[in-house]
Amino acid sequence: MTNILSKKMGPSYDRLSPLIKELHTGKKVIEGEVNVERGRLLAHFICTLFRFPKQNHSCPLRVECQHTSDGILWMRNFDGLILNSKFASTGDLLVEQMGPLRMYFYPVEVGGTLSYEFIKTRIFGIPLPKIISPRIFAVEYELDGKYYFNVKVTMFAIGKILAYGGCMEFSPV
C-alpha cells in the first residue's frame, strides 16, 4: 500500500526497517509508556500555552494514526491530554499542522531508522525567523523487534522546550 512517506522518500523508503514501514501503513493504534520532560521556566510557559503534555517519567501514551497516500493523522492521548496533528505534502516536504503551528520536514532514512529533518516553522501562516523558531529532532527506530521513538523540541537561548519518547507496541485497527 502506498503512503505519503513512500511517495516523499522514494527508494530510500524501502530501506526502512520492516516494522517502521508496517507502522506507517493504514490505520494503527500505538500504546506504551513514555518519558515526557519539559525544560525550565520559560519552556514550561511555552508548553502550557500550546497545551503540550506535562512532565511525567511514566506517562501512558496512546496514538491512533491513519496513514494514506496523501496524509497522516496522529491523535495522541498523553494520559488524558489530547494532542492531534495532521501531516500533508507540500513540494518535497512533509508539513505537520498542530493548531496554529505548521512544521516542515524532510523524511530521511538513516540505517533503517526514520528521521524527520526539520526545515522551518510557521505560526498562523507567518514564517518564524530561525532565531525564534523551534528546532525539532524526531526519530523512529526498531530495536530488538520493538518500536521506539524520540522527539525533542528546543529553542535558541531557551534550550529544551519539550522532549518525549519511549518504547511502544502497535496493532492494526
Side-chain angles (χ1 to χ4, degrees):
M1 178 178 178
T2 303
N3 62 41
I4 194 170
L5 287 174
S6 64
K7 285 177 152 182
K8 288 289 167 200
M9 297 175 70
S12 68
Y13 179 82
D14 294 331
R15 294 191 299 268
L16 291 173
S17 80
L19 186 136
I20 298 298
K21 287 192 288 190
E22 173 62 24
L23 176 67
H24 288 282
T25 304
K27 293 181 180 182
K28 300 288 187 291
V29 172
I30 311 166
E31 295 182 284
E33 205 168 85
V34 297
N35 181 33
V36 178
E37 297 177 354
R38 285 184 171 190
R40 298 180 191 263
L41 187 61
L42 190 52
H44 275 273
F45 173 75
I46 293 167
C47 287
T48 301
L49 179 67
F50 286 99
R51 300 194 62 226
F52 293 151
K54 294 183 180 195
Q55 185 155 308
N56 183 343
H57 295 293
S58 58
C59 180
L61 174 61
R62 177 184 168 93
V63 182
E64 295 178 28
C65 45
Q66 182 174 348
H67 300 82
T68 66
S69 62
D70 60 353
I72 302 170
L73 176 60
W74 285 348
M75 297 164 285
R76 303 171 189 89
N77 182 334
F78 287 90
D79 197 22
L81 177 93
I82 306 301
L83 187 62
N84 295 332
S85 65
K86 296 179 201 175
F87 285 80
S89 176
T90 182
D92 290 341
L93 301 174
L94 280 179
V95 181
E96 181 179 14
Q97 182 165 355
M98 188 180 302
L101 292 173
R102 286 187 180 181
M103 296 148 297
Y104 295 73
F105 301 91
Y106 285 117
V108 178
E109 179 273 336
V110 179
T113 68
L114 176 58
S115 294
Y116 296 87
E117 184 180 313
F118 174 75
I119 305 300
K120 63 184 176 181
T121 301
R122 290 178 182 255
I123 185 163
F124 296 110
I126 302 167
L128 290 178
K130 286 194 181 235
I131 193 112
I132 62 169
S133 179
R135 298 289 302 162
I136 299 150
F137 307 90
V139 64
E140 301 177 45
Y141 59 98
E142 178 179 350
L143 182 64
D144 298 327
K146 294 183 179 178
Y147 170 74
Y148 289 84
F149 79 100
N150 288 298
V151 175
K152 184 175 183 180
V153 181
T154 64
M155 287 181 75
F156 176 76
I158 297 174
K160 177 173 59 181
I161 302 295
L162 178 72
Y164 62 95
C167 179
M168 312 246 320
E169 294 185 13
F170 71 91
S171 59
V173 174

